[in-house]
Amino acid sequence: MPNYPDLSTHGSSLSSFFKLESAGGITLMLAAVFAMILANSPYQNYYDLLKSTPVEVRVGTLHIAKPLLLWINDGLMAIFFFLVGLELKRELIEGELADKRNIILPGIGAIGGMAAPALIYTFFNLGDTTAMKGWAIPAATDIAFALGILMLLGSRVPISIKMFLTSLAIFDDMGAILIIAVFYTENISVTALLIVAACLPLLVVFNKKGVESKTAYILIGIIMWVAMLKSGIHATLAGVIVAMFVPMKSRPDSDYSPLKSMEHDLHFAVAFFILPIFAFANAGISFTAIGLAQVLHSVSLGIALGLFLGKQVGVFGLCWLAIRLNWTRLPNGMSWGGLYGTAALCGVGFTMSLFIGSLAFDETIMNQLFDQRIGTLLGSIVSGILGFTVLHHYLPVKNNA
């Protein structure tokens, strides 16, 4: 059975980590709200013009031309995925996921939390080839938003719930990375892939030799990003690949970790710059064109119900079944009500759902991108409200007297 440790005495690092995540969630929220205000104001044209501003980079015969929105989604988000890769490696080597006993319950919950929303979406959109491209949108969980909501409950939240939610989100990120790699690729360029393949031996040598230079990994990462951009495989995956080769331990100084140093350096930029910019660029929806038909569209409905109902059913249902079958047990300090509230919070899919939606529908001739944004926002908002309400009811009230 999993042994969830009491991390409340592990010093200020864990506390600082969760405070950063919650503050990042609030910043995300503000950026999304600001985008929606602009999209429904007299400045809407300027907002749309900003996103569509053409940005070009040319070096010799190499030419990359994209609107600003795609530079954000393909470029800045590659840095986000690099940070995700660093966190995954750290957790697998010496974090919560290093102890197999600690991964059973969140791992099972993550499987259910990806499968059930995808099935609900499929139920509403089966038979529509274009709409089915978005089947993975409600499978995602936004850890920054979810932790931000969780932190509103303060010290009432036991560390076991925080770690369960974080571990589940890590598995969720693994699933999202695999989904993007397998299902959201375009026509493959063999030449570009050969360049990507040529970078891998260099990364292996860097890792074996214990190279700690951040510049070396950045340069290889840029080359891989450009090659993957041209290859048809989504360029953000370059960030994950490079992260896997960053050394965990320094050879000259065993107390220093190059991986943790990079992770620490990136946390602030990702939480307070990259993700809010992504939210600002992707969350702006004009409500003037929204009616009941748009809300009840199969794409919007499939995403909203996938996030709201699918996450609850998938996460809570499979965890309940695993516990009843004695495969695992509830973590210390977590009640059934706490588990249900946490499962509801997993329906906050904001950042990753919008990102996968941009991959699924950006190239289609239909207005599915608009519908997926409505569904993502509705599903995330009601999931966040329900999760907060349930946890507020079930978590013990601490007496500060």
Side-chain angles (χ1 to χ4, degrees):
M1 292 185 294
N3 177 27
Y4 287 81
D6 181 5
L7 300 179
S8 59
T9 60
H10 280 207
S12 61
S13 60
L14 184 64
S15 174
S16 298
F17 170 77
F18 283 121
K19 286 180 181 177
L20 177 62
E21 294 291 352
S22 62
I26 294 171
T27 307
L28 264 178
M29 218 175 294
L30 292 175
V33 170
F34 184 45
M36 285 186 276
I37 290 174
L38 283 181
N40 292 276
S41 74
Y43 301 100
Q44 178 187 0
N45 290 337
Y46 296 102
Y47 174 71
D48 293 336
L49 183 63
L50 176 64
K51 294 193 298 180
S52 60
T53 300
V55 178
E56 298 185 13
V57 174
R58 185 187 296 273
V59 180
T61 58
L62 177 64
H63 180 220
I64 303 176
K66 290 176 176 288
L68 182 60
L69 176 63
L70 293 186
W71 278 100
I72 293 170
N73 291 355
D74 292 344
L76 285 183
M77 288 301 282
I79 302 174
F80 165 72
F81 275 96
F82 177 67
L83 177 60
V84 169
L86 293 175
E87 291 175 339
L88 288 178
K89 182 173 180 177
R90 173 178 53 79
E91 287 292 333
L92 288 169
I93 293 176
E94 63 175 37
E96 281 296 294
L97 303 185
D99 187 343
K100 294 181 180 179
R101 297 174 299 174
N102 291 346
I103 70 175
I104 297 175
L105 192 65
I108 290 173
I111 292 171
M114 288 185 283
L119 289 173
I120 289 177
Y121 182 91
T122 300
F123 173 79
F124 284 98
N125 293 281
L126 190 63
D128 186 334
T129 304
T130 300
M132 278 304 298
K133 293 181 179 179
W135 65 270
I137 296 172
T141 294
D142 189 320
I143 185 58
F145 253 132
L147 276 175
I149 295 170
L150 193 65
M151 290 302 141
L152 295 177
L153 295 164
S155 60
R156 295 175 60 192
V157 182
I159 195 69
S160 58
I161 287 184
K162 298 174 187 177
M163 295 311 302
F164 172 80
L165 181 59
T166 304
S167 298
L168 188 146
I170 289 171
F171 282 111
D172 194 276
D173 286 340
M174 290 182 183
I177 290 168
L178 290 174
I179 287 170
I180 293 168
V182 175
F183 296 101
Y184 294 106
T185 59
E186 302 171 0
N187 296 327
I188 302 299
S189 167
V190 176
T191 302
L193 281 183
L194 288 175
I195 296 175
V196 173
C199 291
L200 294 178
L202 285 175
L203 289 172
V204 172
V205 171
F206 285 176
N207 183 267
K208 295 296 183 182
K209 297 292 184 181
V211 174
E212 300 177 15
S213 170
K214 296 176 183 178
T215 302
Y217 290 101
I218 291 171
L219 289 176
I220 293 297
I222 291 173
I223 294 171
M224 289 189 69
W225 179 82
V226 173
M228 293 191 94
L229 190 68
K230 295 294 186 178
S231 74
I233 297 176
H234 203 270
T236 52
L237 297 176
V240 180
I241 295 172
V242 175
M244 291 296 109
F245 292 92
V246 176
M248 187 67 189
K249 294 290 184 181
S250 170
R251 291 186 178 180
D253 182 2
S254 60
D255 293 329
Y256 174 72
S257 170
L259 184 146
K260 290 181 182 178
S261 176
M262 290 187 188
E263 187 180 349
H264 180 269
D265 292 344
L266 284 174
H267 256 305
F268 186 88
V270 169
F272 296 103
F273 178 71
I274 291 174
L275 290 182
I277 286 179
F278 174 84
F280 174 77
N282 287 273
I285 298 176
S286 175
F287 295 109
T288 56
I290 296 180
L292 191 60
Q294 284 74 33
V295 175
L296 297 180
H297 189 278
S298 61
V299 170
S300 304
L301 205 56
I303 295 171
L305 291 180
L307 288 170
F308 181 64
L309 293 179
K311 288 291 185 179
Q312 295 178 49
V313 172
V315 175
F316 183 81
L318 254 65
C319 286
W320 176 88
L321 181 62
I323 292 170
R324 291 302 184 194
L325 293 174
N326 290 322
W327 293 351
T328 183
R329 63 171 175 84
L330 276 176
N332 296 328
M334 181 187 287
S335 64
W336 285 110
L339 177 61
Y340 177 68
T342 306
L345 274 187
C346 290
V348 180
F350 188 74
T351 303
M352 287 303 297
S353 293
L354 288 176
F355 181 70
I356 293 176
S358 71
L359 301 182
F361 296 132
D362 189 51
E363 300 299 326
T364 63
I365 60 174
M366 300 176 67
N367 200 22
Q368 308 288 19
L369 188 60
F370 178 77
D371 296 321
Q372 73 91 7
R373 287 175 179 169
I374 296 174
T376 297
L377 290 174
L378 287 176
S380 297
I381 290 171
V382 294
S383 294
I385 292 173
L386 176 64
F388 177 84
T389 303
V390 171
L391 289 171
H392 184 271
H393 176 76
Y394 281 102
L395 292 181
V397 178
K398 292 191 174 183
N399 186 2
N400 296 324

